[in-house]
Amino acid sequence: MGATDAIILVGGMGTRLRPLTLSAPKPMLPTAGVPFLTHLVARIREAGVTHIVLGTSYRAEVFQSYFGDGSAFGVEMEYVIEAEPLGTGGGIRNVVDRLRGDTVLAFNGDVLSGVDLRELLATHDDTDADVTLYLTKVEDPRAFGCVPTDAEGRVTAFLEKDPDPVTDQINAGTYVFRRALLDAIPAGRPVSVERETFPGLLAAGARVMGHVDETYWRDLGRPADFVAGSADLVQGLAPSPALPGPIGRALVLPGARVDPTAVLSGGTTVGVGAVVWAGAVVDGSVLFDGATVGPGAVVRRSVLGFGAVVGAGAVLEDAVVGDRSRIGDRVELLGGARVWPDVTVPDGGIRFSSDL
Ligand code: GTP
């Protein structure tokens, strides 16, 4: 039967990705050359689902101005705005009147994944489930929602951020719902699907199934994952029909300038109008449009915001540089330091490892 509608939750503030999310909501940040959501929309379309409803709140207008009615992306896109954020469950409940079919695919808007969505839908149909949760396995499940299943694949518990996990299976942030079930989510107030809806459904005896998939999965909520996810897309480790160029060691967008003596590697993206000067090394990093890396600078696993500048001989590792900021010549920015937008760090051999 399959789903006819998809809901994507994109209303979060993206606080963990600040300062990048000050200028754009997390799902709209350039990831392997296009807003992250473009990759997800392309995968949903590829699975044959063409009606997509975005549950928006923070910076809602940015989505509509990019995707419009969705036709340029081969889908029909609708937008529902929450005046106050309603959380993940509330966000799903809030768009119910836009849905057309009996089966609904719901996505957290910041997950990069290789799961075959047709297979996920098939599990839902074949097992006659009320809800099917996409589950993946991670080495350390403590920071996630742990979801044990029985021999039949039926979910037996939902243990959010359990310090002593009983399984390495976690909630991967994509769900298939029987449409009728969504009416039971309380309307008009914040609801967490993870903390309230799923435990409630289990307690009520609903048929909640798990679909375990161990192909690619990454939640792009933190800077390190955002950078790694973008690099994985560029290198073809994470699948996307929307990659704006061939798979390779780097993606250089039109209008970017890279000196022939510079070295790009590790799935680096160089945005439109960005410049990489002679002798620079840029590894596994994301350069937003108009960013500049000076001569001989080394930039690893870092994000440079729109128009950010890295001076000659500077060294950045695991850094996030806000839009239009300038990192002076020979400055070292290490250990996950974040620089807020419009900051100038003066030239000189200074080492920083905390936020500026
Ligand atoms: P942090 O502030 O860094 O935790 O990020 P976040 O606000 O995006 O929260 P989180 O990563 O937990 O959200 C998972 C997904 O749900 C993201 O795609 C969010 O955009 C989305 N989301 C979170 N809260 C809401 C909400 O209140 N309403 C809607 N519509 N979506 C939400």
Side-chain angles (χ1 to χ4, degrees), residues 9-17 26-27 55-57 82 85-88 91 107-110 219 221:
L9 296 170
V10 294
M13 305 268 291
T15 44
R16 288 166 299 160
L17 272 183
K26 177 167 53 175
T56 67
S57 178
E82 295 156 36
L86 292 171
T88 45
F107 296 84
N108 280 357
D110 57 354
D219 171 340

